[in-house]
Amino acid sequence: MNAHDIIISPILSEKSTQGIHDKRYAFYVDRRADKTQVKAAVEQAFDVSVESVNIVNVRGKKKRQGRTEGYTSARKKAYVTLTESSKAIQFFETLS
């Protein structure tokens, strides 16, 4: 997998935007990716230096519509912290 296959999309929530000033970013990543693959993908895609990666598996929520029940799709979140000497990611700097 290349970097753009691993990183699916950025997470733009209130919690994730609070971490931008500390160079902490959140992404939805491929469910098969591990920490080392996510670290390499972020470094390659954004040309930054990554200090740590924390990963959270998110289960799908149970939803109903009338009599029909189902689950939303499960996802994997990655919280990426950059080093102090690293530059910030341009996409997130426009949000702060």
Side-chain angles (χ1 to χ4, degrees):
M1 290 191 280
N2 68 20
H4 298 290
D5 291 335
I6 293 174
I7 301 171
I8 296 172
S9 67
I11 299 175
L12 302 175
S13 65
E14 186 175 355
K15 180 181 177 181
S16 67
T17 54
Q18 289 175 351
I20 291 174
H21 299 293
D22 300 327
K23 294 186 180 180
R24 185 173 173 92
Y25 304 100
F27 299 97
Y28 286 120
V29 295
D30 189 85
R31 292 183 57 198
R32 297 166 293 181
D34 59 4
K35 287 184 179 188
T36 56
Q37 291 174 332
V38 171
K39 180 179 179 177
V42 170
E43 287 178 344
Q44 180 186 357
F46 299 110
D47 192 31
V48 293
S49 177
V50 175
E51 182 178 332
S52 67
V53 176
N54 294 339
I55 290 184
V56 178
N57 285 309
V58 180
R59 282 196 218 157
K61 291 183 180 179
K62 189 173 184 179
K63 297 288 185 176
R64 284 187 48 170
Q65 185 164 2
R67 287 187 284 172
T68 308
E69 286 186 351
Y71 287 88
T72 60
S73 57
R75 296 181 172 199
K76 184 178 263 193
K77 291 181 187 180
Y79 291 97
V80 178
T81 305
L82 304 182
T83 59
E84 290 295 324
S85 61
S86 177
K87 66 177 185 172
I89 297 176
Q90 288 290 328
F91 174 77
F92 290 98
E93 287 303 311
T94 59
L95 300 174
S96 60

